[in-house]
């Protein structure tokens, strides 16, 4: 089935990053108009340039997803550009690893804010538009680390929280026709993972049943599925896009 997302409006947070850029481009290629959010204006502009070069409709917002007022402004900007908002992709995220004994409160709070609180703020801000859409969608980008990973107590807790948020919001919004789903990427081949020492890379790949890393396109395809009409009866799900890897 060819996924069509014509006439939709999407907000993709962290869309200057590797996975967010891939998601923004894939949604754009399926006909969606995309508000590219990234706190890093240079990275956001690169995504915009890439999309414009392909003739895809997009605009940029450089708000901070951890701030309630910026979340509200982002949603308002999407509605101002294109008259509404149908699809929210909570993709912005990041790590700040340490063993628990050495983890500072700032490390804990920073990672929880970016990977979990931001999704709450954005979902709340987007709610009126998603309800009005009639085919509203929220797709949260978690990580297989939600099942636990050494040195990532903050990140694992945040991503597990994102799964809890997905399952609860899915219930709260089901009657409004808004679906809420989650994509949990495993090891994805990005410039960051290419920078890992070869021995570490090899050890990680060995833990993947398919014995290779995934591509950004694999995550984008799962997101497009959840965003499309093909998933209209699918909500509260967590899709592991991980080559069969189920966590350590
Ligand atoms: N790369 C992987 O292998 C992998 C694996 C599992 C899950 N994930 C998840 O996928 C998502 C995207 O990861 P990625 O690898 O593309 O990361 P990335 O670091 O390449 O991109 C993240 C983007 O978010 C932006 N950002 C950070 N803080 C922000 C804020 N407060 N407000 C707005 N923008 C902000 C950054 O500027 C960056 O461009 C994350 O949620 C991550 O946890 C990634």
């Amino acid at each position: 089935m060819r996924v069509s997302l014509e006439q939709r409006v999407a907000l993709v947070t962290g869309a200057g990053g590797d996975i967010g850029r891939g998601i923004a481009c894939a949604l754009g290629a399926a006909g969606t108009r995309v508000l590219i959010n990234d706190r890093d204006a240079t990275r956001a502009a690169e995504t915009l340039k890439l999309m414009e070069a392909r003739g895809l409709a997009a605009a940029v917002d450089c708000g901070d997803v951890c701030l309630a007022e910026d979340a509200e402004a982002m949603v308002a900007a999407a509605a101002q550009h294109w008259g509404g908002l149908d699809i929210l992709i909570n993709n912005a995220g990041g790590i700040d690893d340490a063993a628990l004994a050495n983890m500072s409160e700032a490390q804990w709070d920073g990672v929880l804010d970016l990977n979990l609180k931001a999704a709450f703020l954005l979902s709340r801000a987007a709610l009126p538009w998603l309800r009005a859409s009639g085919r509203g969608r929220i797709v949260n980008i978690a990580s297989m680390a939600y099942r636990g990973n050494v040195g990532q107590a903050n990140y694992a807790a945040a991503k597990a929280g994102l799964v809890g948020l997905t399952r609860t919001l899915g219930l709260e919004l089901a009657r409004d026709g808004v679906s809420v789903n989650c994509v949990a990427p495993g090891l994805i081949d990005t410039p960051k993972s290419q920078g890992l020492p070869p021995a570490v890379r090899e050890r990680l790949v060995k833990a993947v049943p398919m014995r290779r890393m995934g591509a950004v396109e694999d995550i984008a395809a799962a997101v497009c599925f959840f965003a499309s009409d093909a998933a209209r009866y699918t909500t509260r799900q967590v899709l592991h896009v991980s080559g069969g890897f189920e966590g350590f």
Side-chain angles (χ1 to χ4, degrees):
M1 189 195 305
R2 195 180 168 276
V3 168
S4 171
L5 288 160
E6 299 288 341
Q7 303 302 319
R8 314 284 166 99
V9 177
L11 164 57
V12 183
T13 67
D18 300 315
I19 292 178
R21 180 171 295 163
I23 293 170
C25 289
L27 287 172
T32 304
R33 293 156 288 180
V34 181
L35 184 65
I36 299 160
N37 157 264
D38 204 293
R39 197 175 51 174
D40 183 329
T42 308
R43 298 184 76 166
E46 281 166 13
T47 302
L48 179 67
K49 206 170 142 198
L50 194 65
M51 290 187 68
E52 284 180 343
R54 296 178 189 176
L56 309 176
V60 157
D61 170 280
C62 293
D64 182 338
V65 291
C66 300
L67 301 177
E69 59 269 31
D70 284 16
E72 296 281 349
M74 247 172 254
V75 169
Q80 222 164 39
H81 275 291
W82 298 297
L85 181 68
D86 307 289
I87 302 165
L88 168 64
I89 314 293
N90 286 310
N91 166 77
I95 56 173
D96 193 353
D97 294 357
L100 189 74
N102 304 321
M103 190 176 284
S104 68
E105 225 175 303
Q107 275 177 301
W108 177 269
D109 288 344
V111 168
L112 266 288
D113 278 1
L114 176 57
N115 292 279
L116 180 56
K117 186 180 175 188
F120 151 66
L121 293 174
L122 262 304
S123 301
R124 191 179 60 174
L127 216 52
W129 293 107
L130 298 179
R131 282 190 163 128
S133 158
R135 51 189 185 188
R137 300 280 192 271
I138 299 176
V139 184
N140 294 321
I141 308 300
S143 160
M144 287 310 296
Y146 86 92
R147 294 164 73 97
N149 197 20
V150 171
Q152 295 195 316
N154 49 1
Y155 186 64
K159 294 300 195 184
L162 200 53
V163 171
L165 181 68
T166 301
R167 295 194 49 80
T168 301
L169 269 190
L171 280 179
E172 290 190 11
L173 304 182
R175 288 190 193 179
D176 299 313
V178 179
S179 75
V180 188
N181 291 291
C182 191
V183 175
L187 197 56
I188 303 303
D189 202 1
T190 62
K192 253 182 298 169
S193 47
Q194 284 154 14
L196 289 171
V200 175
R201 218 178 127 95
E202 201 179 313
R203 186 174 55 79
L204 292 172
V205 168
K206 261 192 184 152
V208 180
M210 284 188 173
R211 292 289 189 273
R212 60 181 171 81
M213 291 192 176
V216 166
E217 290 74 17
D218 297 320
I219 306 306
V223 170
C224 286
F225 165 68
F226 280 138
S228 75
D229 286 341
R232 66 189 173 193
Y233 199 54
T234 304
T235 192
R236 307 180 65 219
Q237 300 306 302
V238 183
L239 184 58
H240 296 175
V241 182
S242 63
F245 175 73
E246 288 289 300
F248 290 108

